[in-house]
Amino acid sequence: MMISHHQGAIEMAKTERAKGAYGPAKTMAKSIGTSQSAEITEMNKILGKR
């Protein structure tokens, strides 16, 4: 469940980066995308997935 939750956050971050108008929010969205992707990778490792 957390993986799909994080995937949703990544999608929202992508939308913000593509369509957002406020620079600091776009910067934060980039950070969110990076960190959530890393967490998904870690969760998949824990679950024995690649």
Side-chain angles (χ1 to χ4, degrees):
M1 290 174 58
M2 285 305 296
I3 291 172
S4 63
H5 175 75
H6 280 39
Q7 288 168 332
I10 291 169
E11 288 304 312
M12 287 188 280
K14 285 180 184 176
T15 300
E16 178 60 32
R17 289 184 68 205
K19 298 180 180 181
Y22 184 59
K26 291 176 79 165
T27 300
M28 184 175 71
K30 182 178 180 182
S31 175
I32 288 169
T34 301
S35 65
Q36 297 295 286
S37 292
E39 289 181 19
I40 288 171
T41 299
E42 188 63 29
M43 286 185 272
N44 279 326
K45 285 180 187 176
I46 291 167
L47 295 171
K49 299 178 181 179
R50 291 186 177 247

Coordinates of all heavy atoms in Angstrom, one line a residue:
M1 N 0.8 -1.2 0.0 CA 0.0 0.0 0.0 C 0.9 1.3 0.0 O 0.5 2.2 -0.6 CB -0.9 0.0 1.2 CG -2.0 -1.0 1.1 SD -3.1 -1.2 2.6 CE -3.7 0.4 2.8
M2 N 2.0 1.2 0.7 CA 2.8 2.4 0.8 C 3.5 2.7 -0.6 O 3.7 3.8 -1.0 CB 3.9 2.3 1.8 CG 3.3 2.5 3.3 SD 2.4 4.0 3.5 CE 3.7 5.2 3.3
I3 N 3.8 1.6 -1.3 CA 4.4 1.8 -2.7 C 3.4 2.6 -3.6 O 3.8 3.6 -4.2 CB 4.8 0.5 -3.3 CG1 6.0 -0.1 -2.5 CG2 5.2 0.7 -4.8 CD1 6.4 -1.5 -2.9
S4 N 2.1 2.2 -3.6 CA 1.2 2.9 -4.4 C 1.0 4.3 -3.9 O 0.8 5.3 -4.7 CB -0.1 2.2 -4.5 OG -0.8 2.1 -3.3
H5 N 1.0 4.5 -2.6 CA 0.9 5.9 -2.0 C 2.1 6.8 -2.5 O 1.9 7.9 -2.9 CB 0.9 5.7 -0.5 CG 1.0 7.0 0.2 ND1 -0.2 7.8 0.3 CD2 1.9 7.7 0.9 CE1 0.2 8.9 1.0 NE2 1.4 8.8 1.4
H6 N 3.3 6.2 -2.5 CA 4.4 7.0 -2.9 C 4.4 7.2 -4.4 O 4.8 8.3 -4.9 CB 5.7 6.2 -2.6 CG 6.2 6.3 -1.2 ND1 5.3 6.3 -0.1 CD2 7.4 6.4 -0.6 CE1 6.0 6.5 1.0 NE2 7.3 6.5 0.7
Q7 N 3.9 6.3 -5.2 CA 3.7 6.5 -6.6 C 2.8 7.6 -6.9 O 3.0 8.4 -7.8 CB 3.2 5.2 -7.3 CG 4.3 4.1 -7.3 CD 3.8 2.8 -7.8 OE1 2.6 2.4 -7.5 NE2 4.7 1.9 -8.3
G8 N 1.7 7.7 -6.1 CA 0.8 8.9 -6.2 C 1.5 10.2 -6.0 O 1.3 11.2 -6.7
A9 N 2.3 10.2 -5.0 CA 3.1 11.4 -4.7 C 4.0 11.8 -5.8 O 4.2 13.0 -6.2 CB 3.9 11.2 -3.4
I10 N 4.6 10.8 -6.4 CA 5.5 11.0 -7.6 C 4.7 11.6 -8.7 O 5.2 12.6 -9.4 CB 6.2 9.8 -8.0 CG1 7.3 9.4 -6.9 CG2 6.9 9.9 -9.4 CD1 7.8 8.0 -7.1
E11 N 3.5 11.1 -9.0 CA 2.7 11.7 -10.1 C 2.3 13.1 -9.8 O 2.3 13.9 -10.7 CB 1.4 10.8 -10.3 CG 1.8 9.4 -10.9 CD 2.5 9.6 -12.3 OE1 2.1 10.4 -13.1 OE2 3.5 8.9 -12.4
M12 N 1.9 13.4 -8.6 CA 1.6 14.8 -8.2 C 2.8 15.7 -8.4 O 2.6 16.8 -8.8 CB 1.0 14.9 -6.8 CG -0.4 14.3 -6.6 SD -1.1 14.6 -5.0 CE -0.3 13.3 -4.1
A13 N 4.0 15.2 -8.0 CA 5.2 16.0 -8.1 C 5.5 16.3 -9.6 O 5.9 17.4 -10.0 CB 6.3 15.3 -7.4
K14 N 5.3 15.3 -10.4 CA 5.5 15.5 -11.9 C 4.5 16.5 -12.4 O 4.9 17.4 -13.2 CB 5.2 14.2 -12.6 CG 6.3 13.1 -12.5 CD 6.0 11.9 -13.3 CE 7.1 10.8 -13.1 NZ 6.7 9.5 -13.8
T15 N 3.3 16.5 -12.0 CA 2.3 17.5 -12.4 C 2.7 18.9 -12.0 O 2.7 19.9 -12.8 CB 0.9 17.2 -11.9 OG1 0.5 15.9 -12.4 CG2 -0.1 18.2 -12.3
E16 N 3.2 19.0 -10.7 CA 3.6 20.3 -10.2 C 4.8 20.8 -11.0 O 4.9 22.0 -11.4 CB 4.0 20.2 -8.8 CG 4.5 21.5 -8.1 CD 3.5 22.7 -8.2 OE1 2.3 22.4 -8.1 OE2 4.0 23.8 -8.3
R17 N 5.7 19.9 -11.3 CA 6.9 20.4 -12.1 C 6.6 20.8 -13.5 O 7.1 21.8 -14.0 CB 8.0 19.3 -12.1 CG 8.6 19.1 -10.7 CD 9.7 18.0 -10.7 NE 10.8 18.5 -11.5 CZ 11.7 17.8 -12.1 NH1 11.7 16.5 -12.0 NH2 12.7 18.3 -12.8
A18 N 5.6 20.1 -14.1 CA 5.2 20.4 -15.5 C 4.3 21.7 -15.6 O 4.4 22.4 -16.5 CB 4.5 19.2 -16.1
K19 N 3.4 21.8 -14.6 CA 2.4 22.9 -14.7 C 2.4 23.9 -13.6 O 1.7 24.9 -13.7 CB 1.0 22.2 -14.7 CG 0.8 21.3 -15.9 CD -0.6 20.6 -15.8 CE -0.7 19.7 -17.0 NZ -2.0 19.1 -17.1
G20 N 3.2 23.7 -12.6 CA 3.3 24.7 -11.5 C 3.9 26.0 -11.9 O 4.7 26.1 -12.9
A21 N 3.5 27.1 -11.2 CA 4.0 28.4 -11.5 C 4.9 29.0 -10.4 O 5.6 29.9 -10.6 CB 2.8 29.3 -11.7
Y22 N 4.9 28.4 -9.2 CA 5.6 28.9 -8.1 C 6.9 28.1 -8.0 O 6.9 26.9 -7.7 CB 4.8 28.8 -6.8 CG 5.4 29.3 -5.6 CD1 5.7 30.7 -5.5 CD2 5.6 28.5 -4.5 CE1 6.2 31.2 -4.4 CE2 6.1 29.0 -3.3 CZ 6.5 30.4 -3.3 OH 7.0 30.9 -2.1
G23 N 8.0 28.8 -8.2 CA 9.3 28.2 -8.3 C 9.7 27.3 -7.1 O 10.1 26.2 -7.3
P24 N 9.5 27.8 -5.8 CA 9.8 27.0 -4.7 C 9.0 25.7 -4.6 O 9.5 24.6 -4.2 CB 9.5 27.9 -3.5 CG 9.8 29.2 -4.0 CD 9.2 29.2 -5.4
A25 N 7.8 25.7 -5.1 CA 7.0 24.5 -5.1 C 7.5 23.5 -6.1 O 7.5 22.3 -5.9 CB 5.5 24.8 -5.4
K26 N 7.9 24.0 -7.3 CA 8.5 23.2 -8.3 C 9.8 22.5 -7.8 O 10.1 21.4 -8.1 CB 8.7 24.0 -9.6 CG 7.4 24.4 -10.3 CD 7.6 25.3 -11.5 CE 8.0 24.4 -12.6 NZ 7.9 25.0 -13.9
T27 N 10.6 23.3 -7.1 CA 11.8 22.8 -6.5 C 11.5 21.7 -5.5 O 12.2 20.6 -5.5 CB 12.7 23.9 -5.9 OG1 13.0 24.9 -6.9 CG2 13.9 23.3 -5.3
M28 N 10.5 21.9 -4.7 CA 10.2 20.9 -3.7 C 9.6 19.7 -4.4 O 9.9 18.5 -4.0 CB 9.1 21.5 -2.7 CG 8.7 20.5 -1.6 SD 7.6 21.2 -0.4 CE 6.1 21.3 -1.4
A29 N 8.9 19.8 -5.5 CA 8.3 18.7 -6.2 C 9.5 17.8 -6.8 O 9.3 16.6 -6.7 CB 7.4 19.2 -7.3
K30 N 10.5 18.4 -7.2 CA 11.7 17.6 -7.7 C 12.3 16.8 -6.6 O 12.5 15.6 -6.7 CB 12.7 18.6 -8.3 CG 13.9 17.8 -8.8 CD 14.9 18.8 -9.5 CE 16.1 18.0 -10.0 NZ 17.1 18.8 -10.6
S31 N 12.4 17.4 -5.4 CA 12.9 16.7 -4.2 C 12.0 15.6 -3.8 O 12.5 14.5 -3.5 CB 13.1 17.7 -3.1 OG 13.5 17.0 -1.9
I32 N 10.7 15.8 -3.9 CA 9.8 14.8 -3.5 C 9.8 13.6 -4.5 O 9.9 12.4 -4.0 CB 8.3 15.3 -3.5 CG1 8.2 16.3 -2.3 CG2 7.3 14.2 -3.5 CD1 6.9 17.1 -2.3
G33 N 9.9 13.9 -5.7 CA 10.1 12.8 -6.7 C 11.3 12.0 -6.5 O 11.2 10.7 -6.5
T34 N 12.4 12.6 -6.2 CA 13.6 11.9 -6.0 C 13.6 11.0 -4.7 O 13.9 9.8 -4.7 CB 14.8 12.9 -5.8 OG1 14.9 13.6 -7.0 CG2 16.1 12.2 -5.6
S35 N 13.1 11.6 -3.6 CA 13.0 10.9 -2.3 C 12.0 9.8 -2.4 O 12.3 8.7 -1.8 CB 12.8 11.8 -1.2 OG 11.5 12.4 -1.3
Q36 N 10.9 10.0 -3.0 CA 9.9 9.0 -3.0 C 10.3 7.8 -3.9 O 10.0 6.6 -3.6 CB 8.5 9.5 -3.5 CG 7.9 10.6 -2.6 CD 7.5 10.1 -1.2 OE1 6.5 9.4 -1.1 NE2 8.3 10.4 -0.2
S37 N 11.0 8.1 -5.0 CA 11.5 7.0 -5.8 C 12.5 6.2 -5.1 O 12.5 4.9 -5.2 CB 12.2 7.6 -7.1 OG 11.2 8.2 -7.9
A38 N 13.4 6.8 -4.3 CA 14.3 6.1 -3.5 C 13.7 5.2 -2.4 O 14.1 4.1 -2.2 CB 15.3 7.0 -2.8
E39 N 12.6 5.7 -1.8 CA 11.9 4.9 -0.8 C 11.2 3.7 -1.5 O 11.1 2.7 -0.9 CB 10.9 5.8 -0.1 CG 11.6 6.8 0.8 CD 10.7 7.7 1.6 OE1 9.5 7.3 1.8 OE2 11.2 8.7 2.2
I40 N 10.6 3.9 -2.7 CA 10.0 2.8 -3.4 C 11.0 1.7 -3.6 O 10.8 0.5 -3.4 CB 9.3 3.3 -4.7 CG1 8.1 4.1 -4.4 CG2 9.0 2.1 -5.6 CD1 7.5 4.8 -5.6
T41 N 12.2 2.1 -4.1 CA 13.3 1.1 -4.3 C 13.6 0.4 -3.1 O 13.7 -0.9 -3.1 CB 14.5 1.9 -4.9 OG1 14.2 2.5 -6.1 CG2 15.7 0.9 -5.1
E42 N 13.7 1.1 -2.0 CA 14.0 0.4 -0.7 C 12.9 -0.5 -0.2 O 13.2 -1.6 0.2 CB 14.3 1.5 0.4 CG 14.8 0.9 1.7 CD 16.1 0.2 1.6 OE1 16.9 0.6 0.7 OE2 16.4 -0.7 2.4
M43 N 11.7 -0.1 -0.4 CA 10.5 -1.0 0.0 C 10.5 -2.2 -0.9 O 10.2 -3.3 -0.4 CB 9.2 -0.2 -0.1 CG 9.0 0.8 1.0 SD 7.4 1.6 1.0 CE 7.7 2.9 -0.1
N44 N 10.8 -2.1 -2.2 CA 10.9 -3.2 -3.1 C 12.0 -4.2 -2.6 O 11.8 -5.4 -2.7 CB 11.0 -2.8 -4.5 CG 9.7 -2.4 -5.1 OD1 8.6 -2.9 -4.8 ND2 9.8 -1.4 -6.0
K45 N 13.1 -3.7 -2.2 CA 14.2 -4.5 -1.7 C 13.7 -5.3 -0.5 O 14.0 -6.5 -0.4 CB 15.4 -3.7 -1.4 CG 16.2 -3.2 -2.5 CD 17.4 -2.4 -2.1 CE 18.1 -1.8 -3.2 NZ 19.2 -0.9 -2.8
I46 N 13.1 -4.6 0.4 CA 12.6 -5.3 1.6 C 11.6 -6.4 1.3 O 11.6 -7.5 1.9 CB 11.9 -4.2 2.6 CG1 12.9 -3.3 3.2 CG2 11.1 -4.9 3.7 CD1 12.4 -2.1 3.8
L47 N 10.8 -6.2 0.3 CA 9.8 -7.2 -0.2 C 10.4 -8.2 -1.1 O 9.7 -9.1 -1.5 CB 8.6 -6.5 -0.9 CG 7.8 -5.5 0.0 CD1 6.8 -4.7 -0.9 CD2 7.1 -6.3 1.1
G48 N 11.7 -8.1 -1.4 CA 12.4 -9.1 -2.3 C 12.1 -8.9 -3.7 O 12.3 -9.8 -4.5
K49 N 11.7 -7.7 -4.1 CA 11.4 -7.3 -5.5 C 12.5 -6.5 -6.0 O 13.3 -5.9 -5.3 CB 10.1 -6.6 -5.6 CG 8.9 -7.3 -5.1 CD 7.7 -6.4 -5.3 CE 6.4 -7.1 -4.8 NZ 5.2 -6.3 -4.9
R50 N 12.6 -6.4 -7.3 CA 13.7 -5.5 -7.9 C 13.1 -4.3 -8.6 O 12.1 -4.0 -8.9 CB 14.5 -6.3 -8.9 CG 15.3 -7.4 -8.2 CD 16.2 -8.0 -9.2 NE 17.1 -9.0 -8.5 CZ 18.3 -8.8 -8.4 NH1 19.0 -7.8 -8.9 NH2 19.0 -9.7 -7.7

